[in-house]
């Protein structure tokens, strides 16, 4: 296990920093002395977050899927703080429901924000991280470890970012850049609360086996992410039991296929009413941001 590094004076970039994991992560990194660059789609909210931090901080309004915008942000962050030591690709959205009935635009947007957005963020900040021998943490999910019915876009995107991060690690490790993958189960955020507003999705999740059937508090999850950042860990687990899931990966698709078919048959009469759009406040902010740009 890697030794903890002091975060005092280090510069950390957090995407999706307006709320949830990103917002609390920014606060906890700041409490440990890191200077913080917040990136997201809601400048007013980001400004409020920035003003509450105890260390030097600033915020940037940008869509993580926009190459030019993120390249500009990377330049400006480096000009503002002089360096970049840590980048956390946290921005993410989710949608649920049966794939056959899903909204194609919402389904594609989940892939764009979660997978393409993580890659665009890495591309923008890699030059600075190479200079500082820094750390890139890609936030993935339990959804990268196990498939799940009604979550095809989210699972595909999180499996994708996990694979991307593994590839990137192999490419840039010799330059001194560390790459980590962060895994979270259902954690008490706007995204999860938004998904739970749909009765079918909430019931389906409740039928998952323990410990995947419960929602975990945000604070301890983010504390574990901060500890992973301090160690520059290759794998960061926001809930203790996720580490054990890695050894079961080979069995999960077959189990989920069997159990999932049974559950989908049970819920079929009610599937037509499942929400098809992006969930939670972050999803709403993403949709509003896109409508304003167009």
């Amino acid at each position: 296990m890697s030794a903890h590094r002091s975060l005092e004076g280090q510069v950390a970039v957090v995407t999706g920093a307006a709320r949830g994991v990103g917002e609390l992560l920014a606060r906890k990194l700041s409490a440990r002395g890191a200077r913080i660059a917040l990136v997201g789609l809601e400048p007013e909210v980001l400004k409020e977050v920035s003003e509450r931090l105890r260390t030097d901080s600033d915020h940037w309004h940008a869509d993580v899927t926009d190459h030019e915008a993120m390249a500009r942000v990377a330049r400006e962050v480096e000009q503002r703080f002089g360096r970049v030591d840590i980048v956390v690709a946290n921005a993410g959205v989710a949608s649920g429901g049966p794939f056959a009935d899903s909204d194609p635009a919402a389904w594609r947007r989940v892939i764009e924000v979660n997978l393409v957005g993580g890659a665009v963020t890495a591309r923008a900040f890699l030059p600075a991280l190479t200079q500082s021998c820094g750390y890139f943490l890609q936030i993935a999910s339990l959804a990268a470890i196990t498939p799940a019915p009604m979550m095809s876009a989210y699972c595909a995107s999180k499996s994708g970012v996990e694979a991307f991060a593994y590839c990137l690690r192999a490419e840039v490790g010799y330059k001194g850049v560390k790459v980590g993958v962060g895994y979270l189960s259902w954690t008490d955020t706007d995204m999860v609360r938004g998904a739970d507003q749909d009765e079918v999705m909430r019931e389906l999740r409740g039928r998952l086996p323990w410990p995947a059937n419960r929602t975990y508090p945000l604070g301890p999850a983010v504390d574990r992410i901060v500890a992973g950042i301090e160690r520059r860990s290759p794998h960061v687990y926001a809930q203790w039991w996720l580490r054990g899931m890695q050894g079961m990966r080979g069995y999960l698709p077959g189990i989920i296929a069997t159990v999932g078919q049974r559950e989908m048959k049970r819920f079929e009469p009610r599937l037509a009413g499942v929400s098809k759009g992006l969930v939670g406040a972050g999803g709403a902010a993403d949709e509003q941001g896109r409508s304003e740009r167009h």
Side-chain angles (χ1 to χ4, degrees):
M1 186 174 289
S2 304
H4 280 60
R5 295 182 181 215
S6 169
L7 299 178
E8 191 72 39
Q10 299 223 335
V11 177
V13 178
V14 181
T15 68
R19 58 174 52 80
V21 171
E23 186 266 343
L24 186 56
L25 180 59
R27 283 201 278 133
K28 287 181 179 287
L29 291 174
S30 175
R32 283 162 176 76
R35 296 175 287 162
I36 309 294
L38 307 161
V39 183
L41 290 173
E42 300 163 274
E44 296 83 7
V45 181
L46 291 171
K47 183 172 184 288
E48 291 173 9
V49 174
S50 178
E51 288 170 348
R52 290 198 302 269
L53 299 181
R54 64 173 288 270
T55 50
D56 188 18
S57 65
D58 212 333
H59 65 282
W60 280 263
H61 174 239
D63 181 334
V64 293
T65 69
D66 185 330
H67 286 278
E68 292 182 2
M70 289 302 289
R72 171 186 56 79
V73 169
R75 288 194 303 271
E76 292 179 3
V77 168
E78 203 169 1
Q79 288 166 3
R80 169 71 170 77
F81 293 103
R83 59 187 292 125
V84 176
D85 301 284
I86 299 155
V87 175
V88 183
N90 166 73
V93 294
S95 64
F99 172 72
D101 300 325
S102 61
D103 171 18
W107 200 97
R108 178 187 288 265
R109 186 61 181 169
V110 173
I111 303 295
E112 287 175 348
V113 175
N114 298 1
L115 174 53
V116 177
V120 169
T121 300
R123 186 186 298 277
F125 284 99
L126 265 177
L129 290 175
T130 302
Q131 274 196 318
S132 66
C133 293
Y135 179 62
F136 179 79
L137 177 62
Q138 173 64 63
I139 299 296
S141 168
L142 171 62
I145 298 174
T146 178
M150 310 267 280
M151 292 180 59
S152 61
Y154 195 73
C155 288
S157 70
K158 291 302 186 177
S159 297
V161 295
E162 180 191 52
F164 166 70
Y166 285 160
C167 295
L168 188 65
R169 180 187 299 165
E171 291 183 20
V172 300
Y174 78 96
K175 297 179 179 180
V177 180
K178 303 286 188 186
V179 178
V181 183
Y183 300 90
L184 294 92
S185 183
W186 305 90
T187 304
D188 188 19
T189 62
D190 284 320
M191 181 188 289
V192 171
R193 287 193 292 270
D196 276 352
Q197 287 177 359
D198 189 288
E199 188 179 344
V200 172
M201 294 295 289
R202 185 172 67 248
E203 284 186 39
L204 193 61
R205 184 159 78 85
R207 295 179 64 82
L208 293 170
W210 184 89
N213 61 349
R214 56 167 293 205
T215 299
Y216 293 86
L218 182 60
V222 174
D223 284 338
R224 291 177 73 95
I225 296 172
V226 171
I229 291 171
E230 287 176 327
R231 292 192 300 266
R232 303 200 169 186
S233 299
H235 300 95
V236 179
Y237 298 101
Q239 286 83 27
W240 62 269
W241 54 272
L242 288 170
R243 184 187 301 273
M245 294 290 288
Q246 295 283 24
M248 300 172 58
R249 292 179 76 138
Y251 304 100
L252 291 171
I255 295 170
I256 297 298
T258 302
V259 176
Q261 288 177 65
R262 187 185 68 212
E263 295 297 330
M264 292 300 287
K265 188 173 182 180
R266 180 199 302 269
F267 282 97
E268 186 176 26
R270 300 164 60 193
L271 293 179
V274 174
S275 171
K276 296 178 173 62
L278 301 180
V279 302
D286 186 83
E287 289 175 341
Q288 181 179 344
R290 278 183 293 145
S291 66
E292 288 173 354
R293 286 192 298 277
H294 297 133

